[in-house]
Amino acid sequence: MVTEWGFSRDGPSHIRGTPQDFGTPFVRRVLEGLNLHSTAWCWSAGAAPAMLQADWQATTEYGRFVRSYLDLARRPGVDAAEARP
């Protein structure tokens, strides 16, 4: 179980990344490659990376990535074709 993961283009150096250089490789190599479950991040007003914009409705680039990943993630007992809308 991966308890926290994420990325931000303009966040602190230890979380700096993009969907292409962090998000997709992490999902493929770590989460799917090792068949792990995860939580993307917990709620915190001051911690990064944020999944939502300051308006609490619009998603950030990271939030959009996570939502897309969850929409397409492997689900035990569900054929990948069935899981896609």
Side-chain angles (χ1 to χ4, degrees), residues 27-38 68-84:
V27 165
R28 288 185 181 156
R29 293 181 192 146
V30 178
L31 297 181
E32 292 177 352
L34 299 173
N35 203 27
L36 296 172
H37 295 279
S38 72
S68 175
Y69 164 65
L70 291 173
D71 285 345
L72 301 174
R74 293 186 197 162
R75 293 180 178 101
V78 177
D79 184 315
E82 292 177 39
R84 289 189 170 77

Side-chain angles (χ1 to χ4, degrees), residues 9-77:
R9 287 180 190 263
D10 31 345
S13 61
H14 65 280
I15 63 166
R16 194 163 299 141
T18 66
Q20 296 77 22
D21 69 17
F22 180 84
T24 298
F26 179 79
V27 165
R28 288 185 181 156
R29 293 181 192 146
V30 178
L31 297 181
E32 292 177 352
L34 299 173
N35 203 27
L36 296 172
H37 295 279
S38 72
T39 60
W41 186 244
C42 61
W43 179 86
S44 175
M51 294 179 75
L52 297 174
Q53 301 285 353
D55 67 4
W56 286 83
Q57 294 181 16
T59 52
T60 63
E61 179 179 44
Y62 169 55
R64 289 186 301 276
F65 180 86
V66 170
R67 187 170 190 157
S68 175
Y69 164 65
L70 291 173
D71 285 345
L72 301 174
R74 293 186 197 162
R75 293 180 178 101

